Amino acid sequence: EGEHNGKAMWKKEGEPARVIFFSSRDSKWYISDEPQDGGFAFVSSTAELPPTGGWNKTVTLSFTEPGGAQQGGKGVSLPAAKAALDKMAEAPWEAQEVCYATMLKMLGNIVSNP
């Protein structure tokens, strides 16, 4: 739902209103009622996306995409993709390098043919 401090920002549908956003001042991701530097939950991270774990107050994030695989539609399941990448991180570098090169080719094709 837009950007805040150069990174993606999400707004929860329904009540109570919630926003997940990055604070460049604090180098933290926050969950709050509105995008301001501070919130009731946070995690120290400068990652491009908010981490699913490591939040204070034992917060854990999960993502659901409209039409995603977990809803019976076609799409990418972010939790499944993250689990696959975590598993790949345990493999020897030689295996990771092949996957990395393949992923770069795929991303190049997506950019060339949106």
Side-chain angles (χ1 to χ4, degrees):
E1 294 254 344
E3 285 192 3
H4 183 75
N5 289 322
K7 297 191 189 244
M9 176 179 74
W10 292 268
K11 293 181 182 179
K12 176 185 162 231
E13 294 180 7
E15 293 296 325
R18 297 286 186 257
V19 183
I20 300 174
F21 64 94
F22 178 74
S23 166
S24 57
R25 182 191 79 183
D26 300 337
S27 296
K28 293 180 182 177
W29 284 92
Y30 284 105
I31 300 174
S32 183
D33 297 332
E34 43 186 85
Q36 56 191 11
D37 288 327
F40 52 82
F42 66 87
V43 62
S44 294
S45 171
T46 58
E48 286 302 309
L49 297 174
T52 55
W55 293 76
N56 73 325
K57 300 184 182 181
T58 65
V59 169
T60 302
L61 295 183
S62 63
F63 299 92
T64 304
E65 306 80 34
Q70 65 273 38
Q71 297 173 341
K74 293 182 179 180
V76 175
S77 165
L78 287 178
K82 183 178 181 328
L85 290 171
D86 289 345
K87 183 176 180 182
M88 185 178 66
E90 297 171 5
W93 171 245
E94 295 78 22
Q96 291 183 42
E97 187 175 27
V98 171
C99 184
Y100 177 72
T102 303
M103 290 171 70
L104 283 177
K105 287 180 186 177
M106 288 173 47
L107 290 172
N109 288 338
I110 292 168
V111 169
S112 298
N113 305 296

